[in-house]
């Protein structure tokens, strides 16, 4: 599992794993556009069902410019994760630089109505030509 997912973080029984992938075919460096996909796996290692309600992303480009992205659920879904279940999705991120980082939080709600934030670990976005 760890060989595929570059980074992971666990919060209150929820583990978030991330695997970023540079997409050369969707990038146009001459026009200042680099594009990555990222595969997220969210695992419920806790003992109660939870529902993912919202997401918050902090996206930083190679110049240090920060963009915050907030929204409901992930890719149009607000999945319920029972104990032992996981949810996978793939999304994408364009940047105006060949490097950057992403990190954030998911807000979950428990059956009793209480909420908590689960960390999305910081991961790097590096176009292959800039890797050192």
């Amino acid at each position: 599992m760890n060989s595929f997912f570059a980074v992971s973080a666990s919060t209150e029984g929820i583990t978030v794993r991330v695997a970023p992938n540079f997409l050369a075919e969707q990038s146009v460096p001459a026009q200042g556009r680099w594009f990555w996909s990222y595969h997220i796996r969210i695992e419920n290692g806790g003992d109660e069902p939870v529902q993912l309600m919202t997401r918050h992303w902090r996206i930083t480009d190679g110049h240090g410019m920060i963009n915050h992205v907030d929204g409901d659920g992930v890719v149009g879904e607000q999945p319920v994760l029972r104990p032992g279940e996981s949810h996978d999705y793939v999304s994408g991120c364009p940047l105006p630089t060949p490097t950057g980082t992403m990190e954030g939080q998911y807000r979950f709600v428990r059956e009793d109505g209480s909420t908590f934030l689960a960390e999305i670990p910081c991961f790097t976005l590096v176009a292959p030509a800039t890797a050192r």
Side-chain angles (χ1 to χ4, degrees):
M1 183 77 62
N2 290 337
S3 62
F4 178 73
F5 291 101
V7 295
S8 65
S10 295
T11 310
E12 297 197 33
I14 298 298
T15 298
V16 178
R17 301 181 190 278
V18 184
N21 184 38
F22 178 68
L23 298 180
E25 66 278 6
Q26 293 188 30
S27 299
V28 187
Q31 295 177 8
R33 179 182 163 87
W34 288 264
F35 197 87
W36 289 263
S37 68
Y38 52 91
H39 178 161
I40 303 270
R41 172 169 290 162
I42 304 164
E43 303 169 349
N44 184 355
D47 56 5
E48 61 184 323
V50 295
Q51 183 174 14
L52 191 158
M53 301 304 293
T54 63
R55 69 186 181 281
H56 171 76
W57 284 105
R58 177 185 162 112
I59 304 166
T60 306
D61 71 19
H63 298 301
M65 296 299 296
I66 298 169
N67 186 25
H68 293 273
V69 177
D70 294 282
D72 291 336
V74 291
V75 293
E77 298 180 307
Q78 292 180 313
V80 173
L81 298 172
R82 289 173 177 60
E85 290 184 342
S86 63
H87 180 78
D88 288 74
Y89 74 94
V90 175
S91 192
C93 178
L95 286 181
T97 60
T99 62
T101 62
M102 292 180 68
E103 62 189 310
Q105 300 91 28
Y106 296 123
R107 185 174 61 84
F108 284 89
V109 63
R110 299 180 186 96
E111 286 186 319
D112 68 5
S114 63
T115 65
F116 66 96
L117 296 176
E119 178 187 355
I120 304 169
C122 183
F123 57 98
T124 57
L125 304 172
V126 179
T130 64
R132 297 188 196 329

